[in-house]
Amino acid sequence: MAIAPTCKGPDPNTRTPEYRPPTGACDAHCHIFGPAERYPYAPERTYTPPDAPLSRFKALQATLGLTRAVLVNASCHGRDNTVIGDAIAQSRGQYRGVANVDDRFTGRDFETLHRQGFRGVRFNFVKHLGGVPDLGEFERVLARIRPLGWHVDLHFDAADLLEFEGLLQGLPLAFIIDHMGRVPTEKGLEQPPFQQLLQLARSNERCWVKISGSERMSSAGPPFTDAVPFAQALIAAAPDRILWGTDWPHPNIAKHMPNDGDLVDFIPLMMPDASMQRRILVDNPHRLYQFAA
């Protein structure tokens, strides 16, 4: 078996942002990696991350002024969700989880994950992470999680938004499009995949979108401000179904690793109004992820 390449680690010198988020603000898309000696990486992984353990994430949240988080189990940990379950257990109700699963997970397994604080599953469609999943398995998993009120988190390449339009319209439960659909900013707001995403967000009440991943979309590079108009358009389309996240520790960034302090200072550029900041950072994730307080 080929050795999975090691990806870059996050910027270790997180800048304290000038913007201070409202009380209860949530990072709705982030990851915990390792430490590998306790939470081994999956043999079939496509990349190997440097460890980014819970202790570092807690320090990051303190610097950024965030208290809640949605921890998305990344593909490098395979279908073992222990690293996320353990982090939620230590959070005193401040974290929720999104699991990586397959057909081997039974209804009882999902009930256990629910008690642990998981509220969704994630499927990768992007080519560098393996491409389109088995759609039969995809449908069977959704049937098992639907009774729990969970959602499905979908990681697409931009072109997938057009290819899988019919699948998205037919989904019987809430779904989230990660990272603004990874549309390249250089192709503009009128590019067909982004227009399709806007239409989906406006017309389908089950569709949520994360305004994250500016560094993945940006064609101009730091400070990634060319992604701001895309976030603003999505907020205007569906303000009650928008989530914000850092994507820390930013796995598989090919060029420019962002500083998470800079990403927090993007928030008032994307949404200058304080009431909208509270809606997206506090109210929306509270409603979708059922935080206790």
Side-chain angles (χ1 to χ4, degrees):
M1 179 181 295
I3 298 175
T6 300
C7 67
K8 295 180 183 178
D11 188 330
N13 301 308
T14 305
R15 185 180 63 79
T16 300
E18 296 180 12
Y19 171 74
R20 301 309 289 172
T23 301
C26 178
D27 182 344
H29 191 101
C30 42
H31 311 284
I32 303 294
F33 294 150
E37 64 269 18
R38 182 172 181 184
Y39 304 106
Y41 300 120
E44 69 275 13
R45 67 190 181 277
T46 58
Y47 66 93
T48 302
D51 284 349
L54 179 60
S55 58
R56 286 189 65 187
F57 180 70
K58 288 180 176 179
L60 175 84
Q61 284 227 304
T63 299
L64 299 182
L66 304 168
T67 54
R68 290 177 178 159
V70 179
L71 304 175
V72 179
N73 196 16
S75 62
C76 60
H77 276 293
R79 303 300 184 266
D80 185 347
N81 296 287
T82 307
V83 65
I84 302 302
D86 285 356
I88 296 171
Q90 296 180 54
S91 75
R92 298 184 179 181
Q94 296 302 295
Y95 299 166
R96 292 294 194 213
V98 174
N100 270 338
V101 303
D102 58 23
D103 251 347
R104 292 170 291 182
F105 284 70
T106 66
R108 182 170 295 179
D109 292 329
F110 285 119
E111 290 171 1
T112 298
L113 289 170
H114 188 86
R115 288 193 295 271
Q116 292 174 349
F118 288 84
R119 292 296 181 268
V121 298
R122 192 189 200 203
F123 281 91
N124 277 302
F125 284 68
V126 295
K127 292 179 177 61
H128 72 265
L129 294 174
V132 180
D134 180 296
L135 294 182
E137 180 176 64
F138 176 80
E139 292 177 359
R140 290 188 293 272
V141 167
L142 297 197
R144 290 172 195 157
I145 67 171
R146 189 179 180 188
L148 294 170
W150 283 22
H151 67 271
V152 60
D153 196 330
L154 300 171
H155 190 196
F156 283 133
D157 291 312
D160 297 329
L161 296 169
L162 301 175
E163 181 178 352
F164 292 101
E165 175 187 358
L167 180 146
L168 293 171
Q169 290 288 7
L171 288 176
L173 73 178
F175 61 94
I176 303 175
I177 305 297
D178 281 350
H179 307 325
M180 297 187 265
R182 296 178 65 108
V183 295
T185 61
E186 64 186 356
K187 294 187 177 180
L189 293 169
E190 297 304 316
Q191 61 183 288
F194 189 66
Q195 286 299 309
Q196 177 62 34
L197 180 57
L198 285 177
Q199 177 59 25
L200 188 65
R202 290 190 195 103
S203 64
N204 191 327
E205 293 186 354
R206 294 184 297 278
C207 176
W208 294 65
V209 183
K210 291 177 185 171
I211 51 170
S212 55
S214 296
E215 69 281 4
R216 299 185 185 278
M217 301 167 55
S218 175
S219 304
F224 314 118
T225 51
D226 52 329
V228 169
F230 293 81
Q232 292 173 334
L234 287 163
I235 291 168
D240 289 326
R241 288 176 277 111
I242 299 295
L243 303 165
W244 172 88
T246 61
D247 194 28
W248 186 89
H250 312 284
N252 293 307
I253 292 293
K255 293 183 179 179
H256 305 289
M257 181 62 64
N259 187 290
D260 291 277
D262 295 340
L263 296 181
V264 169
D265 277 335
F266 258 31
I267 291 171
L269 298 180
M270 294 175 170
M271 41 186 136
D273 181 73
S275 63
M276 185 64 73
Q277 293 165 11
R278 178 168 182 83
R279 185 186 303 190
I280 291 173
L281 297 174
V282 181
D283 298 341
N284 289 356
H286 182 93
R287 188 170 81 255
L288 184 63
Y289 291 99
Q290 306 162 0
F291 286 102

